Amino acid sequence: MTVPQTLTQKLLAAACGRDEVAVGEIVTCGVDLAMFHDSSGPRRLQPMLESLGAQLWNKSKVVLVIDHYVPETDDESRRIVRIARDWASAQQLPNVYDSVGICHVVVPEHGHLRPGMFCVGGDSHSPTGGAFGAYMFGIGSTEMLGVAVSGEIWVKVPDTIQMRWDGKLADGVTAKDMMLHMIGRFGMNGGRYQAIEFCGEAVRALSMQERMTLSNMSAELGSQVGLIAPDTTTVDYLRAVGVADPIDVDRWQSDAGAHAEVHTFDASTLAPQVAAPHSPANTRAIDQFADVMVDVAYLGACTGAKLEDLRAAARVLKGRRVADGMRFVVAPASARDQAQAVREGVMDVLVEAGAQVLANTCGACAGYGGSIPEGATVLSSTARNFRGRMGAETAQVYLGSPYAVAAAALTGRIADPRELLA
């Protein structure tokens, strides 16, 4: 008799060539895609591969994104980026994206992720792929070496926790608010090895870019993956980015009766959320921070500067100017999203409001770019606010949604964006 399987189990069973797997089993999975970037990839992999005399197992399944150390501002950055570019050229890699955006946005927008895939990435926010019904997680350089040579990796089948969101989000409340609320409730370490599946009416109503934010920040919940079952929204996105292959939606759903721990939330009651320094787990409703004055509003990163995030900020700022003395920094997550925002007039709104526009890179989210001064109080759309994470050790970094960042830019303090949208 077949045991009901969660989406987690179905994906891992397919990756190891079986009909089903049990929680706690250790299975060897074939990798459909391995993603690495200039920081985690060639500068570490190249010497290890050379010392072994080994070759990449399948170049067509490798994606290299140069997004961390660009634009190069010093000799060390130039060295790291040169290694990545030279290695990509020597290997004749077919999938290289250089200075066109952040890996977690660039990979899906070029059609590399599809339901049912098993993927790894050399970055902790690789669970973004789970938004597409793909099992994708981050690994370190030594594990990536094994994948690069063999095309396989072992996985212990995790428990599944379902985060079910019922109801409908209010205008001005986003996936970022949902995620910050969950991190505030459960902390940054769920306490055990786990897979999270986001489900329910409010999750199904999210666009793909909003789903990507949820899955991305499952890392902050301590989960290996953050899965969302695919549906017509998934298919529509993939067709729009050029995926012509058949897409199986029905197969990649958790079975009724499959064992999972379930937590239920009411999306209709959720207020915008803010995380105080120096942890995403320091989250409370935004009205608890009304007396916090802000020096820098940072709209950037894979969780806060995609096309829909730029549009959200523009809704708040249209026809307005940022507060006197306020620094409003915008680093669009990809060149493609920025180009579309230009066509829609969104970038004009942000620039006319007083935005300083930076390159399509990880930038200050990963501590590069120098856009966060020492001692500043910052409201940021990034995923993490650890001390020194954004480069300035003495900065006080709060986290919020793109709406909240725009509201801070406008008012000079942490403010509820719903009041400005009304």
Side-chain angles (χ1 to χ4, degrees), residues 13-26:
C16 70
R18 290 168 49 180
D19 293 330
E20 59 183 57
V21 294
V23 172
E25 279 192 276
I26 295 175

Side-chain angles (χ1 to χ4, degrees), residues 22-370:
V23 172
E25 279 192 276
I26 295 175
V27 294
T28 300
C29 298
V31 174
D32 296 310
L33 179 142
M35 181 278 293
F36 32 82
H37 49 59
D38 48 324
S39 181
S40 68
R43 67 171 172 149
R44 304 189 190 282
L45 285 176
Q46 181 184 21
M48 292 191 289
L49 287 168
E50 289 178 350
S51 69
L52 294 173
Q55 300 294 320
L56 293 174
W57 98 101
N58 188 332
K59 294 177 183 179
S60 69
K61 294 185 177 182
V62 170
V63 178
L64 171 62
V65 184
I66 299 175
D67 63 353
H68 274 60
Y69 284 92
V70 287
E72 306 96 297
T73 58
D74 53 41
D75 289 343
E76 179 66 3
S77 296
R78 284 186 280 273
R79 183 187 71 84
I80 292 168
V81 172
R82 184 175 64 251
I83 290 171
R85 289 171 177 158
D86 289 350
W87 187 73
S89 178
Q91 294 289 324
Q92 296 183 309
L93 296 181
N95 304 306
V96 179
Y97 302 99
D98 189 342
S99 306
V100 294
I102 303 168
C103 57
H104 310 300
V105 179
V106 169
V107 170
E109 76 179 13
H110 284 85
H112 291 292
L113 300 177
R114 296 179 298 284
M117 292 180 70
F118 180 90
C119 312
V120 296
D123 189 279
S124 60
H125 286 115
S126 296
T128 305
F132 295 85
Y135 200 99
M136 187 169 186
F137 59 103
I139 59 176
S141 297
T142 305
E143 286 181 300
M144 186 62 82
L145 174 66
V147 169
V149 174
S150 70
E152 295 181 332
I153 189 171
W154 66 266
V155 175
K156 181 179 179 182
V157 182
D159 290 303
T160 293
I161 298 176
Q162 290 185 342
M163 301 293 192
R164 189 177 72 210
W165 284 83
D166 299 323
K168 181 181 179 182
L169 292 173
D171 188 25
V173 183
T174 69
K176 183 67 168 289
D177 299 303
M178 297 165 72
M179 179 50 71
L180 288 176
H181 178 72
M182 287 183 281
I183 299 168
R185 175 171 166 180
F186 295 103
M188 289 195 66
N189 185 343
R192 64 180 186 273
Y193 183 65
Q194 63 192 21
I196 290 176
E197 180 180 349
F198 302 104
C199 54
E201 177 188 358
V203 173
R204 290 192 298 271
L206 295 175
S207 67
M208 280 311 305
Q209 289 200 336
E210 283 284 85
R211 294 179 187 189
M212 287 162 63
T213 295
L214 272 188
S215 294
N216 177 296
M217 290 186 66
S218 60
E220 276 68 47
L221 271 171
S223 181
Q224 184 182 49
V225 291
L227 302 173
I228 299 174
D231 56 15
T232 56
T233 299
T234 320
V235 174
D236 290 346
Y237 177 96
L238 293 173
R239 296 298 184 225
V241 299
V243 175
D245 299 338
I247 300 171
D248 190 342
V249 169
D250 294 338
R251 179 181 179 186
W252 307 113
Q253 311 287 325
S254 287
D255 292 333
H259 178 72
E261 179 181 321
V262 180
H263 297 280
T264 303
F265 305 85
D266 183 355
S268 66
T269 64
L270 184 68
Q273 305 286 297
V274 167
H278 293 281
S279 170
N282 293 338
T283 293
R284 302 192 299 276
I286 198 167
D287 62 2
Q288 300 298 302
F289 299 95
D291 59 344
V292 177
M293 305 303 293
V294 176
D295 304 304
V296 180
Y298 185 84
L299 190 70
C302 45
T303 56
K306 299 183 291 297
L307 176 61
E308 293 185 15
D309 304 321
L310 301 174
R311 288 170 175 164
R315 283 188 63 202
V316 174
L317 291 165
K318 187 175 177 62
R320 295 162 161 164
R321 288 283 301 177
V322 302
D324 291 342
M326 167 61 65
R327 187 175 181 194
F328 178 38
V329 180
V330 178
S334 78
R336 180 177 292 189
D337 278 357
Q338 182 173 356
Q340 181 60 33
V342 168
R343 286 190 289 271
E344 295 178 7
V346 166
M347 293 307 298
D348 285 341
V349 170
L350 299 178
V351 171
E352 289 166 7
Q356 173 192 4
V357 180
L358 302 184
N360 311 123
T361 65
C362 294
C365 177
Y368 308 118

